[in-house]
Amino acid sequence: MRSFRTILILSAWALAAPTLAQEADRPASPAKDSAAIEACLKGKETSAQRRACIGSVAGPCRETQDGATTMGMSACIGREHAIWDKLLNRTYQQAMVGFDDDGKAYLKGAQQSWLKFRSQTCQWPYHVYRGGTLAGPLSSECFMEQTALRTFDLMTIVENGDH
């Protein structure tokens, strides 16, 4: 009877182990990811200093077992891109507040041009790696980096009151 209990207990652990491993590898919440980037940006005043924050969520995520796959890489990059996109939109709205109507129209046009630039710039992997699995993560990483860089540009506008 004792060995039957041991077998049951070991079987339960064997069945639970993958679930427990998934729990450990589960991505941080968007709030934690956002807090990590905000903490990284704190005290950094220039775009050059802020560049060090790009990859602060995606990098550690990609170092996990799940992040090492093509799909995992894209998911890690997507997590961070979502944060930069929110920061970009928030900073864009802050920049718009300080402009008169002409300045707002100019910034809106510049932002629309930048969106086209980012899209064209980040589509290159699909032309280079036609059908290859690397195209997705490379394109996603480009979108993430370009979004972060544009956020830094807008932060500079807001902080310097250049409008």
Side-chain angles (χ1 to χ4, degrees):
M1 191 69 162
R2 188 173 180 174
S3 48
F4 182 69
R5 271 190 229 173
T6 305
I7 291 171
L8 282 175
I9 291 170
L10 291 174
S11 296
W13 276 103
L15 291 172
T19 303
L20 295 173
Q22 287 174 351
E23 293 282 331
D25 290 338
R26 193 168 279 162
S29 71
K32 287 182 182 177
D33 287 348
S34 188
I37 289 179
E38 294 279 358
C40 183
L41 290 171
K42 194 170 186 98
K44 292 180 172 60
E45 298 177 4
T46 67
S47 290
Q49 292 171 333
R50 291 173 178 149
R51 283 177 187 251
C53 297
I54 300 173
S56 59
V57 169
C61 177
R62 288 169 69 172
E63 291 174 7
T64 67
Q65 185 176 359
D66 289 340
T69 66
T70 303
M71 288 179 59
M73 284 185 244
S74 291
C76 292
I77 295 164
R79 277 176 51 193
E80 184 166 335
H81 179 253
I83 296 159
W84 288 117
D85 194 53
K86 285 180 184 176
L87 284 171
L88 173 76
N89 290 320
R90 183 178 74 200
T91 309
Y92 174 78
Q93 293 303 320
Q94 291 170 345
M96 288 294 270
V97 168
F99 283 110
D100 61 14
D101 288 343
D102 288 340
K104 286 178 183 178
Y106 184 82
L107 182 57
K108 182 179 178 180
Q111 193 68 5
Q112 289 171 341
S113 294
W114 173 78
L115 287 166
K116 290 176 187 172
F117 163 80
R118 180 185 67 172
S119 182
Q120 288 182 322
T121 298
C122 294
Q123 292 299 319
W124 69 266
Y126 292 104
H127 299 286
V128 174
Y129 301 104
R130 299 175 191 262
T133 58
L134 194 57
L138 287 174
S139 180
S140 296
E141 190 165 39
C142 178
F143 271 94
M144 178 190 72
E145 289 176 356
Q146 290 298 319
T147 303
L149 294 173
R150 180 63 178 164
T151 301
F152 303 156
D153 292 342
L154 293 173
M155 285 176 163
T156 300
I157 291 170
V158 170
E159 293 163 354
N160 291 330
D162 292 340
H163 49 293

